């Protein structure tokens, strides 16, 4: 029997049907990822399954005695409560049951047996250990007041509160937002070994791949179920969309033909054509009832002119705050067009390093040289730049109905439409938008600014998967420089060309640069640790000794010098020119015309052909050397 069953559910806000005859069931030990566009009703459906809201119509059946715990996107806590007390709320029943059992004065034998049975089923004997372990794994200080924490840390507190409760069904709305990579990996491992059932909403494709056993997509009011992880879903979904588009095209063509026929008049009104008229009416009804696929966000970015070849050059840069070393003797060169990801736990100094690279902070020691003609645009994960009482139109283009994107002039209504905001919402307040819609608005404003350096701080939070994929494509083709802070590993891997990684666990303030994305960094780090020499049993290890990194990542500077980079950039054109000349000579030597011009011409052509061969080999060797460097 299913733990939760939702049958023929209907839910609408205004004229938009979020659930339109939706059916859903959750089995024991199943891990379901609920996906779909922003605004399609995923959070509303999750609240219905959690028992917090009710559908407009339909039936929700829940197994008797089922314990459900729901973690919202924006959790709320009682004022003045500490982190430890907030997390302990998740085991309130276990705490109260153990207190009754331990203070058993006046309690009869049967009641004691019942309390003991309930206490064991709740795991109440060691609830303190579960709370302490969860606080440690999510890096939470138990004595801090929750009201003093940022929104992201509050989300971690709510997640900890749910995890310690060990419910039969855990319902999570965007659980990975604001978690760092280690915490995301830990959460994925925990959920995979979780003995209860799970329903989660997430746009982190790697996290869904690691945790889900079934994908349920909410699309145009209907639920579609796909067994397996996200990778299997992508393959099946592409095939379904192609089939749907083909079927719709055929139906539209048939409808158009029948509409032409019916307008012929007399022939269409004959008795013998009644069946055909009935078919036309059925086609019209089917077309009217069809809910077309939601449009795609159209992303394009305004570029504020080309920056200099070098964006920033850091040499032995150190940054200290009191006794704390955030960055220690870091050296790198950032070139125009680099896509750089910053990887590290929350609070390790990613923002500080970014500000140093962009010249907004002065280092404690070391040299920083900034490039020329830099126009920087920021995406702030906390959305501090959004004024909640401003309208969407004023947020994008205050005081004007037009906006310049590159060489194109667009009306503000058209530009907002590119980001899936209907024209009638242009004068709506920012405060009326959902989290995903606010992120889309922030991206719309960011891409309207003329910039050749983009700084994106957690841009993936609350964005749906379709928009993420379009944003990936935009950034990959963006001619300027990108600095990306994100814990969405699939997104990072698809965008960046290199990563700056905090390795303060090896040495305080240590940052290293790796080629490629998160997957490449983890593979290089694993090879580095595997190749490190094992300590001698007879020797006494030094207290802070760190294994020497492998040569591939040991160099503190993974960039070429300015001259070397310029040489590398020019090599493809030079090679192409030589190869073209070589082809012309080869054709001439193969023809009879050259041999009628005398032996000197023939000798010169042969000598030049041999010289080109040597030059090509030398250039290819140089190219390989520079690429490896």
């Amino acid at each position: 029997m299913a733990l939760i069953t939702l049958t023929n559910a209907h839910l609408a806000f205004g004229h938009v049907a979020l659930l339109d005859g939706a059916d859903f069931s959750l089995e024991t030990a199943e891990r379901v990822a609920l996906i779909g566009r922003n605004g399609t009703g995923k959070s509303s459906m999750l609240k219905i399954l959690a028992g917090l809201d009710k559908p407009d119509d339909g039936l929700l059946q829940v197994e008797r005695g089922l314990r459900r715990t729901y973690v919202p996107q924006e959790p709320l806590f009682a004022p003045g409560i500490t982190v430890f007390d907030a997390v302990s709320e998740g085991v309130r029943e276990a705490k109260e049951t153990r207190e009754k059992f331990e203070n058993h004065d006046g309690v009869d034998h049967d009641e004691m047996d019942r309390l003991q049975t309930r206490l064991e089923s709740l795991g109440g004997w060691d609830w303190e250990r579960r709370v302490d372990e969860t606080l440690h794994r999510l890096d939470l200080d138990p004595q801090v007041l929750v009201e003093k924490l940022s929104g992201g840390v509050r989300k971690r507190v709510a997640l900890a509160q749910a995890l310690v409760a060990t419910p039969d069904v855990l319902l999570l709305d965007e659980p990975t937002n604001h978690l760092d990579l280690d915490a995301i990996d830990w959460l994925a491992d925990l959920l995979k070994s979780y003995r209860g059932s799970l329903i989660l909403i997430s746009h982190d494709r790697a996290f869904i791949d690691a945790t889900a056993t079934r994908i349920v997509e909410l699309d145009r009011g209907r639920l579609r179920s796909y067994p397996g992880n996200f990778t299997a879903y992508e393959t099946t979904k592409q095939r379904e969309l192609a089939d749907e588009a083909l079927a719709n095209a055929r139906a539209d063509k048939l409808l158009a033909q029948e509409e032409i026929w019916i307008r012929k008049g007399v022939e269409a009104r004959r008795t013998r054509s009644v069946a055909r008229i009935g078919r036309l009416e059925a086609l019209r009804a089917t077309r009217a009832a069809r809910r077309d696929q939601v449009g795609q966000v159209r992303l394009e970015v305004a570029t504020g002119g080309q920056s200099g070849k070098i964006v920033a050059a850091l040499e032995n840069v150190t940054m200290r705050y009191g006794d704390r070393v955030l960055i220690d003797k870091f050296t790198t060169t950032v070139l125009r067009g680099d896509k750089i990801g910053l990887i590290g736990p929350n609070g390790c100094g990613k923002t500080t390093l970014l500000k140093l690279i962009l010249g907004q902070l002065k280092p404690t020691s070391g040299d920083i040289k900034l490039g020329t003609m830099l126009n920087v645009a920021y995406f702030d994960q906390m959305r501090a730049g959004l004024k909640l009482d401003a309208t969407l139109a004023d947020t994008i283009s205050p005081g004007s109905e037009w906006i310049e994107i590159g060489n194109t002039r667009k009306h503000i209504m058209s530009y907002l439409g590119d980001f899936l905001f209907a024209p009638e919402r242009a004068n709506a307040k920012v405060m009326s938008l959902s989290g995903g819609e606010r992120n889309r608005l922030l991206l719309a404003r960011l891409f309207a600014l003329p910039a050749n350096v983009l700084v994106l701080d957690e841009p993936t939070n609350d964005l749906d998967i379709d928009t993420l994929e379009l944003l990936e494509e935009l950034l990959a083709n963006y001619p300027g420089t990108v600095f990306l802070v994100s814990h969405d590993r699939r997104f990072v891997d698809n965008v960046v060309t290199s990563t700056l990684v905090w390795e303060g666990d090896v040495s305080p303030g240590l940052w290293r640069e790796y080629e490629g994305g998160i997957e490449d960094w983890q593979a290089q780090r694993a090879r580095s640790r595997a190749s490190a020499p094992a300590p001698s049993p007879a020797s006494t290890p030094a207290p802070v000794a760190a294994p020497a990194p492998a040569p591939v990542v040991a160099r503190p500077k993974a960039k070429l010098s300015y001259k070397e980079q310029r040489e590398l950039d020019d090599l493809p054109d030079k090679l192409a020119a030589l190869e073209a000349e070589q082809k012309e000579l080869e054709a001439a030597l193969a023809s009879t015309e050259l041999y009628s011009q005398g032996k000197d011409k023939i000798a010169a052509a042969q000598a030049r052909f041999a010289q080109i061969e040597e030059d090509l080999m030398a250039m290819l060797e140089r190219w390989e050397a520079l690429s490896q460097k």
Side-chain angles (χ1 to χ4, degrees), residues 74 150-153 155-156 176-180 342 344-347 350-351 354 378-386 435-436 438-440 442-443 445-446 455-463 484-487:
E74 303 293 339
S150 67
V153 181
K155 182 67 174 285
R156 297 214 306 270
T176 61
N177 279 5
H178 311 292
L179 297 184
D180 57 43
L342 282 84
N346 295 329
K350 296 189 294 293
T351 302
L354 264 178
Y378 283 87
F379 181 97
D380 175 21
Q381 66 164 316
M382 303 311 294
R383 311 182 188 117
L386 291 180
R438 291 183 189 184
N439 266 18
R440 283 212 311 270
L442 202 55
L443 285 175
R445 191 178 72 168
L446 178 78
V455 180
L456 306 175
D457 187 4
E458 293 291 357
T460 61
N461 288 346
D462 301 319
L463 289 182
L484 174 63
V485 179
S486 177
H487 301 303

Side-chain angles (χ1 to χ4, degrees), residues 493-504:
D493 285 344
N494 290 343
V495 171
V496 306
T497 56
S498 63
T499 51
L500 304 181
V501 181
W502 178 85
E503 296 188 349

Side-chain angles (χ1 to χ4, degrees), residues 337-339 454 469-480 482 491 493-497:
D338 282 350
K339 313 290 192 299
L454 295 180
E469 291 175 346
L470 291 169
L471 182 58
E472 285 174 1
E473 183 179 355
L474 174 81
L475 295 177
N477 297 323
Y478 177 61
V482 176
F491 184 81
D493 285 344
N494 290 343
V495 171
V496 306
T497 56

